[in-house]
Amino acid sequence: MIIDAHRHLWSVFQRHPAAFGAPPPARLDWEEAAGEMAAEMNGADVDRAVLLVADFAARLGDPPYPIQEENRLIVEAARRYPERVIPFYGIDPRRPGAADGFERAIREWGVRGIKLHPAVGFFPHHRACYPLYEICVAHDLPVLFHSGPASFSPLLYNRFTHPLEFDQVATDFPQLTIILGHACGDWWEDGIAIARGHPRMVLELSEWQLRLKEAPEESVHALDRMRRGVGVERMMWGTDFPGVRHLMSLKECVQVFRDLPATASRFGERFTEREVAAILGGTAARLLKLDG
C-alpha cells in the first residue's frame, strides 16, 4: 500500500494568491479538485492520501472559503472517495472555539487527525494548542505539524517551526503521536535529535522527493541518518501536492522513493525493498490504523 501522508485539495498559491502577488483565481471547485486528485492517484498507484488544510489566514489573509467551510469540503472529498481519502482537520488554535470545532469534526465528520501550521505565529507549546492535544490523546489521533523553515513565503515566521519547539509538546503529552511534516526540512539533523528521545514522534518526508532528485547523494545520507536515528517505522512518505506538481509529477514522486535502494547503493548506503515499503505506506498504515 502506498499512502501520501501530506496532501491538499489546493496549493497555498491557489488559496492565497494575493500574498504572492497573483490575481485571484476563479472560485475553487472542490469536486473538480477531488476528481483530479483521485485520477492522479490512480495514475501513480497511490492508494490513499491524508488530506490536509492549513489555516494561514493570520499571515496570508482570508482564503476563498472560511476555514470551517474548507474543513467541511475536505470531509466531502473523503465521503466522495472513502477508500482513497483520509480527512484531517486544520485550524489556527488561537481561533475562538478551535477545540470545540475539532471535537465536533471528530464525532460528526470522522476526521482522523489535525494539521497545525505554527509558522502563522504560534509556538507548538502555546497554551491555546493544549486543548487540541488533549482531544488527540483522548481519541488516539495524531497531530501533523509543519516543521522546518516555511521558505515558500516571507510572510511566515520560521522561528516557531524549529524542531526544538516540538520537544515540550512531546514531553507534556507522551501519549500524543506527533508527525513532523517535511522531516523538519533544512533542520532535519535537529529533527532527528529531538525525535530520537520521543518514541511517538514521526518524521514525514513530504518534499524530500525533490531533494532526492536534485541532490541525491546528500539526501540519501540524510535518510540513512534518519533511519539510524529513529528507524523506518517512524519515517513516512508524503508529497505536499498539489503545490509541488510543477516540479515533479505524482508518479515521479513515487518512483524516486521506489528507486531508493538503487540510488542509495550508488553512494555507499543500503536501503532494502522492505524498508522502502515501510516508508511509502507501512508506517502510515499502522499509525492511521488502516486495514489494507
Side-chain angles (χ1 to χ4, degrees), residues 80-292:
R80 179 71 56 89
Y81 300 98
E83 301 302 317
R84 313 304 300 279
V85 175
I86 302 162
F88 270 38
Y89 195 73
I91 197 74
D92 185 328
R94 300 167 297 179
R95 284 185 182 268
D100 289 341
F102 180 36
E103 182 75 47
R104 284 195 303 273
I106 295 169
R107 297 188 183 278
E108 299 176 12
W109 295 348
V111 300
R112 305 286 292 277
I114 191 168
K115 161 72 181 286
L116 300 180
H117 209 300
V120 298
F122 62 89
F123 284 109
H125 47 80
H126 190 294
R127 291 296 161 171
C129 301
Y130 276 41
L132 300 173
Y133 306 149
E134 291 166 359
I135 292 170
C136 284
V137 171
H139 292 277
D140 193 20
L141 299 178
V143 54
L144 190 155
F145 291 103
H146 174 94
S147 67
S151 56
F152 59 88
S153 173
L155 299 176
L156 299 175
Y157 298 112
N158 292 322
R159 67 187 294 250
F160 298 103
T161 64
H162 191 275
L164 187 61
E165 304 303 339
F166 302 99
D167 178 68
Q168 183 174 334
V169 178
T171 300
D172 289 349
F173 293 90
Q175 298 306 311
L176 177 64
T177 297
I178 295 173
I179 303 170
L180 297 180
H182 316 299
C184 304
D186 289 341
W187 296 328
W188 61 267
E189 290 180 284
D190 291 330
I192 296 170
I194 297 301
R196 185 183 291 120
H198 296 295
R200 295 183 69 97
M201 192 173 276
V202 178
L203 300 177
E204 179 263 291
L205 298 166
S206 56
E207 299 188 11
W208 278 78
Q209 71 273 22
L210 304 176
R211 292 169 177 261
L212 275 167
K213 180 180 179 179
E214 296 165 0
E217 182 172 11
E218 174 185 310
S219 300
V220 160
H221 293 316
L223 293 172
D224 175 64
R225 288 274 305 281
M226 293 180 201
R227 175 181 57 178
R228 288 187 283 117
V230 303
V232 293
E233 66 276 5
R234 287 202 277 146
M235 297 167 63
M236 58 198 296
W237 178 77
T239 64
D240 205 10
F241 257 55
V244 296
R245 184 188 288 137
H246 63 293
L247 299 173
M248 184 183 288
S249 72
L250 185 61
K251 188 172 184 178
E252 289 175 302
C253 293
V254 175
Q255 193 60 47
V256 76
F257 270 85
R258 281 180 167 160
D259 291 342
L260 185 56
T263 305
S265 69
R266 289 164 45 201
F267 304 112
E269 305 290 0
R270 181 175 181 269
F271 275 85
T272 68
E273 297 292 341
R274 182 195 65 80
E275 290 172 323
V276 171
I279 293 170
L280 279 174
T283 296
R286 172 177 47 81
L287 189 152
L288 297 168
K289 304 178 183 65
L290 302 179
D291 296 327

Side-chain angles (χ1 to χ4, degrees), residues 9 29-39 51 76-77 80-81 85:
L9 267 183
D29 185 329
W30 77 267
E31 291 180 293
E32 179 181 351
E36 290 176 351
M37 177 183 65
L51 201 53
E76 290 297 330
R80 179 71 56 89
Y81 300 98
V85 175

Side-chain angles (χ1 to χ4, degrees), residues 31-73:
E31 291 180 293
E32 179 181 351
E36 290 176 351
M37 177 183 65
E40 190 172 47
M41 291 169 64
N42 289 338
D45 296 324
V46 175
D47 297 287
R48 299 193 181 188
V50 175
L51 201 53
L52 309 167
V53 57
D55 188 355
F56 290 117
R59 293 300 303 159
L60 303 186
D62 291 328
Y65 296 100
I67 191 63
Q68 189 68 359
E69 176 67 5
E70 191 164 353
N71 275 297
R72 189 188 66 79
L73 295 179

